[in-house]
Each structure stands twice: as structure tokens, then as C-alpha cells.
């Protein structure tokens, strides 16, 4: 007998082309990009890492990430999530932690919606 978890279908009737899971111990969340390029996240929610404008409450089904961007890549981290839009704009949301991991030019703050990563003028993200 195996103690491995059984895979479950993600609710919401969405079709994903990419999914990323992240977190730390009991702060686990996942995010994905749909076939239309929209980003959705679900799971444990304490630091804005789902990107839906809220700072608390677990979500067992996907919730839309605010901002209306079309994404080509997404990555769920410890208590944050980052993505790259189809236009090459890098966005992050969730907890910046003490190390500024969201790239927003600050530490300690949390954002519950996508914010543009601070990068040199005129630079675009080409690879993820």
C-alpha cells in the first residue's frame, strides 16, 4: 500500500496549458495558465499569492488573477507567484519577504494583485 496522494481534477472547468505549485509546509498554492492565456491560482492563501486581490482564505477551486494580462509563463514560489505576459512583462504578487523576492523593489510588503517587476528601462523578459 502506498502513502502517495491521489491526483485530483482541478475544479472550475478550465483547461490549463501550464501549472506550477509552490509553498512552504502548510502554505501550499498552485497557479496555472489557461488555453486563453489567463492566469488562475488556488490553494492556501495568506500573503496575496493567489493574486485575486484578497489576503486571506483558502481556495479549493481556481480564482482569476487580477489585471487582465495574457500570460505565457507562471511560477508559484514560497509565498509569492510570478509570471511573464505574452508582451514580455514580468509581474509578481504575494509576499516580498525579507529578501525582496517579488522584484518590486521592496521587502516585507505583500501585494494581492500582479505588480510589474522593477527592471532596467526598456528591458523585457525573453526566457523564463
Amino acid at each position: 500500500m502506498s502513502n502517495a496522494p491521489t491526483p485530483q481534477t482541478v475544479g472550475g472547468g478550465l483547461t490549463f496549458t501550464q501549472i506550477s505549485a509552490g509553498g512552504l509546509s502548510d502554505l501550499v498554492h498552485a497557479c496555472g495558465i489557461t488555453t486563453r492565456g489567463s492566469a488562475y491560482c488556488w490553494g492556501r492563501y495568506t500573503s496575496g499569492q493567489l493574486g485575486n486581490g484578497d489576503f486571506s482564505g483558502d481556495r479549493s477551486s481556481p480564482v482569476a488573477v487580477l489585471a487582465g494580462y495574457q500570460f505565457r509563463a507562471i511560477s508559484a514560489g514560497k509565498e509569492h507567484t510570478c509570471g511573464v505576459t505574452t508582451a514580455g512583462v514580468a509581474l509578481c504578487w504575494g509576499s516580498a519577504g525579507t529578501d525582496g523576492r517579488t522584484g518590486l523593489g521592496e521587502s516585507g510588503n505583500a501585494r494581492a494583485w500582479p505588480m510589474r517587476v522593477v527592471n532596467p528601462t526598456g528591458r523585457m523578459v525573453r526566457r523564463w
Side-chain angles (χ1 to χ4, degrees):
M1 179 177 260
S2 171
N3 289 333
T6 303
Q8 301 292 315
T9 301
V10 175
L14 301 166
T15 302
F16 293 94
T17 59
Q18 181 196 347
I19 293 178
S20 176
L24 172 67
S25 65
D26 66 339
L27 298 175
V28 179
H29 72 289
C31 296
I33 300 172
T34 66
T35 54
R36 293 182 173 214
S38 299
Y40 286 81
C41 295
W42 59 96
R44 184 80 183 199
Y45 194 42
T46 57
S47 301
Q49 65 266 43
L50 301 187
N52 70 334
D54 193 4
F55 279 104
S56 63
D58 298 345
R59 303 291 192 264
S60 58
S61 295
V63 293
V65 172
L66 297 178
Y69 291 100
Q70 298 296 299
F71 288 85
R72 70 173 182 212
I74 198 164
S75 183
K78 185 176 175 182
E79 293 177 274
H80 66 291
T81 305
C82 294
V84 178
T85 69
T86 54
V89 175
L91 302 167
C92 291
W93 53 96
S95 174
T98 58
D99 55 5
R101 63 182 153 245
T102 55
L104 304 176
E106 58 192 18
S107 299
N109 292 330
R111 306 290 183 187
W113 53 89
M115 299 286 293
R116 191 179 284 247
V117 171
V118 177
N119 58 352
T121 304
R123 302 286 181 177
M124 292 177 51
V125 176
R126 295 188 186 264
R127 294 183 189 224
W128 186 259

